[in-house]
Amino acid sequence: MSEAAESVPAGTTSVRRSRDVPMLVERARTGDPRAVARLITLVENGDTLLPAIAAALAPYAGQAQVVGLTGSPGVGKSTTTNELVRALRARGHRVGVLAVDPSSPFTGGAILGDRVRMQDHATDPGVYIRSMSSRGHLGGLAAATPQAVRVLEGAGCDVVLVETVGVGQAEVEVASLADTTLVLLAPGMGDAIQAVKAGILEIADVFVVNKADRDGVDATVRDIQGMIALGERGPGQWRPQVVRAVAARGEGIDDIAAAIDKHRGWLVEHGELRRRQEARAAAEIEAIALGTLRARIGSLRDGTELSTLAAKVAEGGLDPYAAADTLLAQLAR
């Protein structure tokens, strides 16, 4: 089901340009990569068909295991993702990959090069790989990533791997999207103080210390284990796993998969999987509602209400909170 290297069947042009949502969803369900690509493109572009697409995909929500991979640039996220795909395919799973790449703050362009490292699976019909530009969205993901995950769930993927942009200490949005979050590290990340203050480490369900053949790996593992020990956990709460790997040589990948399986079992046993799915749905609803409000506020700029309120605030005749209340009342009408 890979997006690349497929023969071109009859009707390809109609699929690539189609706005027939039921047909696209039906063909995506059969594994047609072009139908999947078309749906994700419509989602990324915020097309007016987005509500219809979401409605058509709703019956398939929650059927895929969503695994997030995040970490600083250069820790080996794409290589690890590539090897995880290999392991999951050996189990017979259909796998979807969403690889988010950074976009330029100057031109808006993006190289979309993460999937270059995943060419081993380019012709595998059981794998769909899609690169997405962050389009300036903060948090390590693209704004359209949650809906793209729904497309891949609807396309019958058993597991969806979401690889974030190379992130810093505070980009933790992937934790609200994934059932299981892998934080990748590498020797040389810094001392124990650096480990403790990195907020991204607090979201990990599994720590993967990649490039474990380098000097300093023992110190890195020790720092992470020390940070985990500082956390307060009640009886039955999940304790993050620490796994060593050398993804470039395929070493430790089975251990990563086993840690993901263990966390999945804990999620199901403690009802946490449903809670995370509901939290993810709440975040989606909130984002859509806020986006709608922003669009309506933007439309007010074409009128006089916002300008009038701004003038009153600027001259001191009205405080900004009262002006905001007035603006919200205007939106409600």
Side-chain angles (χ1 to χ4, degrees):
M1 195 168 60
S2 178
E3 192 177 10
E6 291 284 335
S7 59
V8 181
T12 294
T13 302
S14 62
V15 171
R16 286 177 174 170
R17 299 178 182 177
S18 176
R19 298 180 65 80
D20 184 343
V21 172
M23 182 272 288
L24 288 172
V25 171
E26 180 181 354
R27 294 189 64 163
R29 292 289 295 166
T30 67
D32 184 340
R34 288 173 180 79
V36 177
R38 177 60 174 159
L39 287 169
I40 294 180
T41 296
L42 292 169
V43 164
E44 279 193 286
N45 292 339
D47 196 275
T48 55
L49 288 176
L50 190 50
I53 293 171
L57 294 172
Y60 313 110
Q63 296 185 8
Q65 180 180 7
V66 183
V67 178
L69 296 92
T70 190
S72 302
V75 296
K77 293 187 297 297
S78 296
T79 304
T80 303
T81 300
N82 183 69
E83 294 304 316
L84 272 177
V85 171
R86 194 187 312 280
L88 291 167
R89 289 295 292 142
R91 298 181 178 186
H93 293 316
R94 294 178 69 182
V95 184
V97 178
L98 295 173
V100 184
D101 284 296
S103 55
S104 168
F106 303 104
T107 66
I111 296 176
L112 302 182
D114 278 347
R115 66 177 178 178
V116 171
R117 298 186 178 92
M118 306 178 203
Q119 287 303 301
D120 294 348
H121 312 291
T123 59
D124 186 343
V127 180
Y128 182 89
I129 301 171
R130 174 77 174 222
S131 291
M132 303 179 72
S133 169
S134 65
R135 302 191 181 190
H137 185 75
L138 301 178
L141 300 177
T145 304
Q147 295 304 318
V149 168
R150 289 189 176 274
V151 171
L152 293 180
E153 284 184 316
C157 290
D158 301 302
V159 182
V160 178
L161 303 177
V162 181
E163 179 193 331
T164 73
V165 169
V167 297
Q169 291 180 334
E171 290 84 352
V172 297
E173 188 174 339
V174 69
S176 65
L177 177 67
D179 302 324
T180 299
T181 301
L182 275 57
V183 172
L184 274 69
L185 310 164
M189 60 169 285
D191 59 13
I193 299 300
Q194 187 73 11
V196 170
K197 75 178 185 179
I200 188 176
L201 302 187
E202 297 177 17
I203 68 172
D205 299 306
V206 178
F207 288 101
V208 178
V209 181
N210 193 31
K211 305 183 180 181
D213 53 344
R214 293 185 175 182
D215 293 338
V217 63
D218 291 335
T220 299
V221 171
R222 186 168 56 249
D223 289 344
I224 297 305
Q225 290 174 335
M227 188 203 69
I228 293 172
L230 292 175
E232 296 183 2
R233 293 177 181 83
Q237 286 189 303
W238 175 255
R239 181 182 177 87
Q241 307 287 291
V242 183
V243 181
R244 303 185 189 210
V246 184
R249 298 204 298 255
E251 297 175 7
I253 301 303
D254 289 340
D255 294 335
I256 297 173
I260 294 172
D261 290 341
K262 185 175 181 180
H263 184 248
R264 177 76 173 188
W266 178 86
L267 290 173
V268 173
E269 180 183 352
H270 291 80
E272 182 69 10
L273 180 61
R274 174 56 60 183
R275 190 200 68 79
R276 291 194 180 196
Q277 290 173 337
E278 290 178 358
R280 185 157 70 231
E284 284 185 71
I285 295 168
E286 181 180 1
I288 292 168
L290 289 174
T292 301
L293 284 174
R294 290 191 189 99
R296 292 181 180 177
I297 290 173
S299 67
L300 289 178
R301 292 181 180 274
D302 297 331
T304 60
E305 182 71 19
L306 186 58
S307 298
T308 300
L309 290 171
K312 290 180 179 179
V313 171
E315 66 188 15
L318 189 67
D319 69 85
Y321 287 92
D325 288 339
T326 302
L327 184 62
L328 289 173
Q330 177 75 5
L331 289 173
R333 291 196 296 269

